[in-house]
């Protein structure tokens, strides 16, 4: 279910779904075009993309029942150091789903957003953006739980 990225609109607060554009859906190396929607109140003072926009993501790891990871691509089609992931761990009679995000080197988009900011504004942006991402991860997990429990 978690590797079925077109369904992500059922649980993600931002990704509305999308489509596989190359490779076998959910397989390492495959590319997904995501449709995203961001409200005007998200870090409202910063020049982030609002409304609908599209991304391309490349699957980095796909081990059914264990892990699924993808990286956002830049405008040149290269995977960036911006990785989203789900990991599944055994937990008693059930499973524990962990959803995480890691950005090493700032993405093309983040560099554009912060290019005109001074050091204080960058600290503020990353603090608020981090809170937003953490909140989205939690909402996503709760919504996936609801979908799974409904069967």
């Amino acid at each position: 279910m978690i590797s079925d990225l077109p369904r992500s609109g059922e649980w993600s607060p931002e990704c509305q779904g999308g489509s596989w554009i190359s490779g076998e859906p959910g397989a390492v190396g495959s590319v997904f075009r995501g449709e995203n929607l961001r409200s005007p109140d998200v870090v409202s003072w910063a020049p982030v993309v609002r409304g609908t926009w599209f991304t391309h993501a490349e699957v980095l790891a796909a081990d059914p029942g264990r892990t699924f990871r993808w990286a956002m691509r830049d405008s040149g089609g290269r995977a960036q150091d911006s990785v989203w992931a789900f990991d599944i761990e055994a937990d008693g009679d059930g499973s524990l789903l962990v959803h995480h995000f890691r950005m090493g080197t700032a993405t093309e988009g983040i560099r554009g957003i912060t290019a005109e900011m001074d050091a204080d504004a960058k600290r503020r942006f990353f603090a608020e953006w981090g809170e937003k991402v953490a909140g989205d991860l939690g909402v996503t997990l709760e919504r996936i739980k609801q979908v799974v429990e409904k069967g």
Side-chain angles (χ1 to χ4, degrees), residues 44-114:
S44 60
W45 60 272
V48 299
V49 175
R50 310 211 185 276
T52 299
W53 87 101
F54 298 91
T55 57
H56 288 91
E58 179 180 334
V59 177
L60 301 178
D63 187 358
R66 298 201 58 206
T67 191
F68 185 70
R69 299 173 189 266
W70 64 99
M72 302 314 297
R73 285 182 153 191
D74 65 15
S75 60
R78 294 172 296 273
Q80 300 181 90
D81 195 8
S82 172
V83 179
W84 296 84
F86 286 107
D87 292 314
I88 302 169
E89 304 168 5
D91 185 28
D93 293 334
S95 298
L96 175 66
L97 180 63
V98 178
H99 187 24
H100 48 99
F101 169 73
R102 181 194 57 76
M103 182 182 301
T105 305
T107 63
E108 183 177 62
I110 293 295
R111 288 191 310 272
I113 291 167
T114 60

Side-chain angles (χ1 to χ4, degrees), residues 115-126:
E116 303 294 320
M117 292 181 185
D118 64 22
D120 287 339
K122 285 180 183 179
R123 276 191 290 280
R124 179 180 173 204
F125 172 76
F126 284 112

Side-chain angles (χ1 to χ4, degrees), residues 5-6 8 14-21 31-37 52-58 70 72:
L5 292 180
S8 60
E14 197 164 273
C15 183
Q16 303 298 293
S19 59
W20 293 101
I21 60 172
V31 177
F32 178 77
R33 181 179 189 260
E35 180 179 336
N36 305 283
L37 179 64
T52 299
W53 87 101
F54 298 91
T55 57
H56 288 91
E58 179 180 334
W70 64 99
M72 302 314 297

